[in-house]
Amino acid sequence: MPTQFSEALVFRIWKKETTGQGGLLSAVDPTAFTTSDSLRLWIIQMCMIVMMGQLLSLGLGKIRQPKVVAEVLAGILLGPTALGRIPGFTEHIFPTQSLPYLSLVANIGICLFLFIVGLEIDVNVITRNARSSLFIALSTMTLSFGLGAAISVPLYDNFIGSPIEFRYFMLFTGVSFSITSFPVLCRILTALKLLDTTVGVVVLSAGVCNDIVGWSLLALSVTFINGTSGLTALWIPLTCVAFAAFLMWPVRIALLWLARFTGSPGDGPTIFFMLVTVIVLWAYAFFMDTVGISVVFGAFLAGVVVPREGALASSLTKKLEDVVIIVFLPLFFTLSGLNTDLGLLNNGITWRFTIAIICLDFVGKFSACTITTRVSGMSWQESSTVGSLMCCKGPVELIVLNIGLSTGILTQRVFSMFVLEALILTFIATPLVSILYPPERRVRALGRDVSRWSTGDSDEDIGHCQSPMTEPWRSRFTVVLDKFDHMSGMLAATHLALPSPMLPTSQGTDICVNVLRLIEMSDSNLDITKSSAVDTLIHSDPVLGVFRTFGELNDIHVSFSLAVVPYEDMSKTISDHATRHGSELILLQWLPPSSISRDTTEDPCSPHSMRLEPNSSEAFSGGPTDTGNPAAMAHSQFVRRTLAESNTDVALFIDPGTSLSGTGPGSARHIFFPFFGGPDDRLALEFVMQLCTNPRISATVVRVSKSGAERVAVQWPSIVRPEEEGSDETGYHGMPIQSTVAMPNISYGQTRFESEAADTILWEQYADSHSSYGIHPSIRVALSRITFSEHSSSMPLHSAIQQASTCKPVLVVVGRSHRLGSDDFTQELENILKERGSVRQDDSRNTIGNAATAFVASGCATAVVMLQAANVSAD
């Protein structure tokens, strides 16, 4: 028997191949549809749908429109409204016989999409803002449903009529008016950068509530339509409620046990857990369809019951979301477009009703949201913004409309009227919000920062950190954490940078550390809703937990902040955070390119998903280039953006692979600092003195100059960056004049002559401290542990590396650039890199500067600290 089956199968395949030989060469129409070979036409249809949607999204994306607008518009253009009017287009590309196959794939996709929507529903979002979100969502849906029911009367009389019962049409019209598309809402909030505002928090919570109630209303409507009698209409919802309760408790508990048994919450969903989840998804969809409710509601419930432990729901979403958004959803939108014929809106009464539908739906949602939000305590500006956002429709209403069309409740003309309404209301949401709620008037949501004294004084306010110090040392720091692998280096760096508590002069000084935890926001709606759960994440995040323990052990005032932001906004977030908290120094870590693995699957919370590898200093100097690793380039770009946008001094800790070994509290350390000159080097000199307040730290400071060769001036494109007022102890400040020796994209508002004079005066003041008067006592203590010397060489970088190599283990401190210095080290750095077999390190040089690149490539330093002075506006 098995042999006969296999022979029959081979015969059918062979017959298909032999009869289909030639293809185009045999003058066979490739768009000809046959039930035995439907894949060929499906591929043509799929390519046209995806390409049309992508082309439109490129244009509409420029005005920050959600992608769903482009995809719905693409479906309309491919339908009878536009391209369908071309003779032969519909018959060849979208023939009637092929639509069931297209519809089958689209319905599979919409079930997967609703499963993802269920996964992205976070009940905690509602519970955190339960009172306001329920009040806003329910009042809005009540008024919208009432207006939809009111306009359904003339719509039914003019366009529907018998045999469709009016009550069914009224239900669908009311649900259509009530619905708000939560997925589109998330995309708009992300595009307009509203997630961390009070408006974003309220809209997210109200949107989740609206989504749940909306799907419940849809299920109830379908129940009434499919009920053949009053008793059947009663049993269907009761069965649905009982089944939902069964899912929410026994099945959810079983899935949670299975997830823990397979290790899915920590390591991501296993194949077996994925298999069980997919079976549950289609089982729910099948059951809901058999009892008379749409399959999409069963898929939605399946997503809701998946456990939220760990990153399980997020991992499931990421596994499914891309293929659903790229392949399946455009098919569904195209089917909606093929059923939409705007040519049917061909008379005055039809257009009057279309305009009335658009206006009534908008006015109902906008007015209800605005008034209820205002009553909840928000300003009129914020309330009107919430009202505008809650008007967006998107795929959720299209699902409702397609169900109405498939059940015969809506005619094609009425369907087209409502599709146009959904498209227009979704389109106007973005420009309305941009006008009503401009960036300069936005209010950040409270509860993003948690301040805590390690000694247990929880009543201290974060403003306590901003009282000025009596000592000349920096006492307020912003520590940036983006990955758990950075923790060891950043803990050692923070401990190193803090003023020593052992000095008598430091008693009573308030040292404040503001820890900023960055989590990259992906396109997943589940990640977007995380931004409203900062209050929870800030206490449960393991990275912050480690630093919290560090603060308690060292009696340091530590405040914690957590930001879930897109990658491109991370540098601006750091700059704004440091400015808002009055920080005097930003502590950041940079990893050499070869220390970053190309494996980007390990830590989704980091802004570039990197992994450390051992012996990175050797790889740095031995590799031919640093431009082949995308993760390294993304990491360096993130650091460069932070340096370019920072209005605060930045200390960049570079760990070439050996970490800050020997930097524990009980060990002695030595610092080597080559002083080449310029604002960054003057900042670095002050930083070295602050480090030397610790009795266990000593330093060698060498003023290195170039001799025996003509100094070269290199022209770089630059932006004006005047030196921070008061950062130069010599008091030399000139007019903003572009530097002739500068790092790319950076210059200072000071002439070279003034900068060199400032270098000389500062050097003489500290190097000859015994003859200087008026120096703070703590500075004298620090200077007693520093050895100053001067050295002139035709190869300053080689000379500095050689001197640093004589005192291992050593921490090297350098300035990022020597913008206003006399020497240029570009050619010498090229020689150093060639000596070590590294052909190009352009990415590293542009990120950390020539001097730091030379020390990292040489491998002579245990660790390197690069400093850049504050980027202050010229205004």
Side-chain angles (χ1 to χ4, degrees):
M1 185 68 182
T3 304
Q4 295 176 352
F5 175 77
S6 60
E7 290 176 353
L9 180 63
V10 170
F11 174 76
R12 290 185 62 185
I13 296 175
W14 174 254
K15 181 180 179 181
K16 177 180 181 299
E17 292 294 330
T18 54
T19 57
Q21 284 181 354
L24 286 173
L25 300 179
S26 302
V28 176
D29 184 3
T31 64
F33 176 80
T34 59
T35 55
S36 61
D37 188 17
S38 58
L39 181 61
R40 182 169 54 192
L41 180 59
W42 186 88
I43 293 174
I44 296 174
Q45 294 171 338
M46 189 68 216
C47 291
M48 290 200 66
I49 291 167
V50 172
M51 285 192 298
M52 179 70 77
Q54 291 298 322
L55 286 175
L56 289 174
S57 65
L58 287 176
L60 292 173
K62 300 295 183 182
I63 55 176
R64 295 187 292 186
Q65 287 294 327
K67 193 177 180 181
V68 62
V69 174
E71 291 172 338
V72 173
L73 189 58
I76 293 175
L77 293 177
L78 289 171
T81 301
L83 295 179
R85 296 183 180 274
I86 300 175
F89 177 83
T90 301
E91 290 76 9
H92 284 81
I93 306 300
F94 295 104
T96 305
Q97 307 95 306
S98 71
L99 293 184
Y101 298 88
L102 202 63
S103 177
L104 175 63
V105 178
N107 285 328
I108 292 173
I110 209 64
C111 286
L112 291 173
F113 173 71
L114 265 297
F115 175 71
I116 293 173
V117 171
L119 280 173
E120 293 171 342
I121 294 295
D122 186 359
V123 180
N124 293 327
V125 174
I126 299 178
T127 57
R128 282 190 294 270
N129 306 277
R131 186 174 180 180
S132 59
S133 61
L134 286 172
F135 182 44
I136 294 170
L138 294 179
S139 60
T140 302
M141 296 186 76
T142 301
L143 180 59
S144 297
F145 190 93
L147 291 175
I151 200 174
S152 66
V153 177
L155 277 174
Y156 180 83
D157 292 338
N158 286 274
F159 300 104
I160 304 296
S162 58
I164 302 300
E165 293 190 35
F166 170 72
R167 55 177 178 171
Y168 299 153
F169 178 73
M170 181 194 69
L171 276 174
F172 264 88
T173 306
V175 171
S176 174
F177 269 55
S178 303
I179 210 78
T180 294
S181 179
F182 178 71
V184 175
L185 204 57
C186 291
R187 296 298 189 273
I188 294 177
L189 289 174
T190 304
L192 298 180
K193 300 179 181 179
L194 292 172
L195 287 168
D196 62 342
T197 63
T198 53
V199 168
V201 173
V202 170
V203 168
L204 273 180
S205 56
V208 171
C209 183
N210 184 286
D211 221 30
I212 295 174
V213 177
W215 288 115
S216 301
L217 284 176
L218 177 61
L220 191 62
S221 302
V222 175
T223 297
F224 288 144
I225 293 169
N226 292 332
T228 54
S229 65
L231 188 60
T232 304
L234 176 63
W235 277 112
I236 291 177
L238 290 178
T239 304
C240 178
V241 170
F243 185 66
F246 172 71
L247 297 180
M248 291 298 178
W249 279 278
V251 175
R252 187 184 181 93
I253 293 172
L255 285 176
L256 180 59
W257 176 86
L258 179 63
R260 291 173 177 172
F261 178 77
T262 57
S264 297
D267 303 328
T270 62
I271 296 297
F272 182 69
F273 184 83
M274 286 285 295
L275 174 64
V276 173
T277 303
V278 170
I279 292 174
V280 169
L281 160 65
W282 297 118
Y284 290 0
F286 173 78
F287 179 82
M288 285 297 176
D289 189 58
T290 55
V291 299
I293 300 177
S294 175
V295 292
V296 297
F297 191 69
F300 174 76
L301 278 180
V304 172
V305 301
V306 171
R308 298 303 193 267
E309 185 166 316
L312 182 59
S314 178
S315 300
L316 275 173
T317 301
K318 290 176 181 178
K319 285 179 178 292
L320 297 173
E321 193 170 35
D322 289 344
V323 67
V324 171
I325 291 176
I326 294 172
V327 178
F328 290 112
L329 271 187
L331 286 178
F332 175 76
F333 294 138
T334 300
L335 279 178
S336 300
L338 293 175
N339 292 322
T340 302
D341 187 1
L342 299 184
L344 296 176
L345 312 183
N346 54 4
N347 54 55
I349 189 170
T350 304
W351 275 108
R352 285 196 293 271
F353 271 104
T354 303
I355 295 172
I357 290 171
I358 296 171
C359 293
L360 272 180
D361 198 350
F362 176 78
V363 170
K365 275 191 175 295
F366 182 83
S367 59
C369 278
T370 302
I371 294 172
T372 52
T373 309
R374 176 59 179 164
V375 171
S376 299
M378 300 182 72
S379 66
W380 281 112
Q381 189 175 44
E382 293 172 325
S383 302
S384 58
T385 306
V386 172
S388 302
L389 287 167
M390 293 294 288
C391 291
C392 69
K393 299 289 185 176
V396 177
E397 181 168 356
L398 292 180
I399 294 172
V400 175
L401 295 177
N402 275 278
I403 292 175
L405 183 67
S406 63
T407 54
I409 295 173
L410 303 180
T411 64
Q412 190 175 12
R413 181 179 302 222
V414 175
F415 178 85
S416 302
M417 294 162 65
F418 276 95
V419 168
L420 182 62
E421 170 248 0
L423 189 64
I424 291 176
L425 290 186
T426 305
F427 183 87
I428 65 174
T430 299
L432 264 180
V433 172
S434 300
I435 295 171
L436 294 172
Y437 203 45
E440 62 272 11
R441 296 187 178 181
R442 293 174 185 175
V443 179
R444 294 184 71 256
L446 299 177
R448 302 287 162 149
D449 302 317
V450 177
S451 180
R452 172 192 175 119
W453 272 100
S454 58
T455 55
D457 187 359
S458 60
D459 296 328
E460 292 290 337
D461 187 80
I462 198 168
H464 179 74
C465 300
Q466 301 179 11
S467 59
M469 286 186 64
T470 58
E471 284 79 15
W473 310 125
R474 288 167 173 77
S475 63
R476 301 188 296 276
F477 303 89
T478 288
V479 179
V480 180
L481 300 175
D482 56 0
K483 188 175 176 64
F484 192 83
D485 286 342
H486 294 182
M487 283 302 303
S488 60
M490 290 308 297
L491 289 176
T494 304
H495 190 274
L496 190 69
L498 298 178
S500 175
M502 303 177 67
L503 287 177
T505 54
S506 294
Q507 292 178 359
T509 296
D510 295 332
I511 299 172
C512 178
V513 177
N514 304 116
V515 179
L516 174 61
R517 170 73 163 117
L518 290 177
I519 297 179
E520 182 183 5
M521 179 190 298
S522 68
D523 291 334
S524 169
N525 290 344
L526 198 61
D527 281 349
I528 293 173
T529 56
K530 278 184 181 180
S531 62
S532 65
V534 168
D535 295 341
T536 302
L537 290 174
I538 209 168
H539 293 288
S540 60
D541 184 75
V543 176
L544 293 181
V546 172
F547 217 100
R548 186 177 290 110
T549 304
F550 168 78
E552 293 173 350
L553 293 175
N554 292 275
D555 290 331
I556 302 170
H557 186 279
V558 182
S559 63
F560 300 95
S561 302
L562 187 144
V564 185
V565 292
Y567 170 73
E568 59 272 12
D569 295 336
M570 285 186 169
S571 54
K572 186 67 165 58
T573 301
I574 295 172
S575 176
D576 292 344
H577 176 88
T579 302
R580 187 170 61 252
H581 288 78
S583 296
E584 297 168 321
L585 189 67
I586 296 174
L587 304 181
L588 188 65
Q589 185 164 6
W590 181 79
L591 302 174
S594 298
S595 69
I596 304 173
S597 170
R598 299 169 192 266
D599 182 7
T600 60
T601 62
E602 187 162 312
D603 189 355
C605 291
S606 69
H608 22 265
S609 297
M610 302 168 300
R611 185 177 61 185
L612 298 180
E613 298 288 353
N615 302 321
S616 57
S617 60
E618 298 176 8
F620 181 94
S621 58
T625 178
D626 65 353
T627 59
N629 191 336
M633 295 177 66
H635 178 45
S636 296
Q637 184 182 29
F638 161 68
V639 172
R640 284 198 300 272
R641 283 182 177 178
T642 303
L643 293 170
E645 297 183 13
S646 175
N647 296 322
T648 307
D649 296 337
V650 179
L652 189 68
F653 288 81
I654 305 165
D655 185 358
T658 55
S659 187
L660 294 175
S661 57
T663 57
S667 60
R669 287 150 283 181
H670 190 74
I671 296 171
F672 179 79
F673 170 47
F675 183 84
F676 297 104
D680 291 347
D681 274 24
R682 294 198 293 273
L683 170 65
L685 180 56
E686 295 175 358
F687 182 73
V688 169
M689 287 193 300
Q690 177 159 333
L691 297 184
C692 288
T693 59
N694 191 324
R696 297 189 180 92
I697 297 180
S698 59
T700 298
V701 178
V702 181
R703 187 175 188 182
V704 184
S705 59
K706 193 172 186 178
S707 65
E710 183 180 358
R711 289 168 176 173
V712 182
V714 180
Q715 295 286 349
W716 293 97
S718 58
I719 57 175
V720 176
R721 266 190 46 169
E723 187 175 4
E724 183 181 12
E725 183 179 356
S727 64
D728 179 6
E729 298 189 14
T730 64
Y732 281 88
H733 299 281
M735 295 297 293
I737 298 176
Q738 181 173 322
S739 170
T740 57
V741 181
M743 281 296 294
N745 305 322
I746 294 176
S747 69
Y748 266 54
Q750 189 182 53
T751 65
R752 177 187 291 180
F753 171 77
E754 292 171 331
S755 180
E756 290 180 358
D759 294 340
T760 301
I761 294 176
L762 186 65
W763 177 264
E764 292 178 352
Q765 182 180 3
Y766 290 148
D768 192 15
S769 59
H770 298 290
S771 59
S772 300
Y773 297 96
I775 294 183
H776 195 280
S778 59
I779 296 181
R780 287 191 181 276
V781 173
L783 291 175
S784 67
R785 303 188 181 99
I786 303 175
T787 302
F788 290 91
S789 63
E790 298 188 31
H791 184 76
S792 180
S793 173
S794 60
M795 295 187 296
L797 287 181
H798 283 85
S799 178
I801 291 172
Q802 184 177 3
Q803 293 184 60
S805 301
T806 61
C807 46
K808 281 191 174 184
V810 63
L811 171 67
V812 174
V813 177
V814 293
R816 184 189 184 204
S817 66
H818 314 106
R819 295 153 253 240
L820 302 173
S822 305
D823 305 319
D824 173 60
F825 307 120
T826 304
Q827 187 57 50
E828 186 180 1
L829 176 62
E830 292 285 352
N831 296 333
I832 292 174
L833 295 177
K834 288 179 181 178
E835 291 170 4
R836 286 156 177 80
S838 183
V839 179
R840 295 185 61 191
Q841 294 292 344
D842 293 342
D843 198 52
S844 302
R845 291 164 53 187
N846 292 337
T847 304
I848 62 176
N850 290 341
T853 302
F855 279 103
V856 173
S858 69
C860 69
T862 304
V864 179
V865 181
M866 184 278 295
L867 286 104
Q868 176 183 284
N871 179 11
V872 181
S873 174
D875 296 335

